[in-house]
Amino acid sequence: MPTIGVLALQGSVREHVRMLQEAGASAIAVRRPAELDAVDGLVIPGGESTTMWKLADTFDLLDPLRMRIKEGMPAYGSCAGMIMLADRIEDGVDGQQTIGGIDMVVRRNAFGRQVDSFEADLDFAGEPVHAIFIRAPWVESVGADVEVLGIAEPGDRIVAVRQGPLLATSFHPELTGDTRVHRYFVDMLREL
Ligand code: GLN
């Protein structure tokens, strides 16, 4: 059984831990570099990417996170977590840094300028999911190696992507009872 960490600096940590357990993984909170060393994969939750970046820096996690991602650790970022996994962002605050790993441009608070939050039914990797968006980013553009896994109807925006061992969604599957996205991530870990 893979052990998956949930980056526990800020955001919807408990909900992801519960969904990962339901999806058949063992899940632990990650706050320190030693905890990061102990996991096979990592979920980066929703929350606020500017705060998460600053806390990761303060807790000396930013470089270890970048290192593990570079070495191929599977990771799944939801909402603010998607922003953290983006190689490039738009509408970040001054100097905002990410962990990076996915060759994409993500626009922060993109849907938020139109509607703060909304729900939509969409296809995720060919399966129907009910997606909850909260001040959500969208993916503005992707590189050639990035697979688009989901599109949301308002504006036909890219909201789910995968590049090798890295997965990201603009929405929050941990807030629904549906473990499909978490199961997809756990299956990814088993295949890799
Ligand atoms: N708007 C937030 C950010 O920029 C993301 C919102 C969320 O994770 N629900 O980080």
Side-chain angles (χ1 to χ4, degrees), residues 45-50 78-81 83 96 108-109 134-137 172:
E48 174 49 54
S49 59
T50 54
S78 140
C79 204
I83 296 169
Q96 183 173 352
R108 270 184 80 226
N109 302 334
I134 304 165
R135 292 190 63 74
H172 290 266

Side-chain angles (χ1 to χ4, degrees), residues 37-53:
D37 288 343
V39 298
D40 304 309
L42 186 73
V43 169
I44 307 172
E48 174 49 54
S49 59
T50 54
T51 309
M52 222 179 279
W53 151 56

Side-chain angles (χ1 to χ4, degrees), residues 87-164:
D87 280 350
R88 294 170 298 283
I89 57 175
E90 296 281 354
D91 290 346
V93 299
D94 254 8
Q96 183 173 352
Q97 292 180 36
T98 67
I99 299 164
I102 302 182
D103 181 13
M104 62 179 174
V105 178
V106 167
R107 184 173 293 278
R108 270 184 80 226
N109 302 334
F111 288 111
R113 271 173 296 163
Q114 296 157 20
V115 271
D116 258 4
S117 66
F118 64 98
E119 303 189 12
D121 291 312
L122 54 93
D123 260 23
F124 169 79
E127 294 197 72
V129 295
H130 185 70
I132 299 177
F133 297 84
I134 304 165
R135 292 190 63 74
W138 68 45
V139 180
E140 193 94 14
S141 62
V142 294
D145 295 332
V146 179
E147 192 186 345
V148 173
L149 295 181
I151 303 235
E153 231 166 59
D156 281 341
R157 296 294 176 175
I158 301 172
V159 293
V161 292
R162 175 178 177 178
Q163 182 176 4

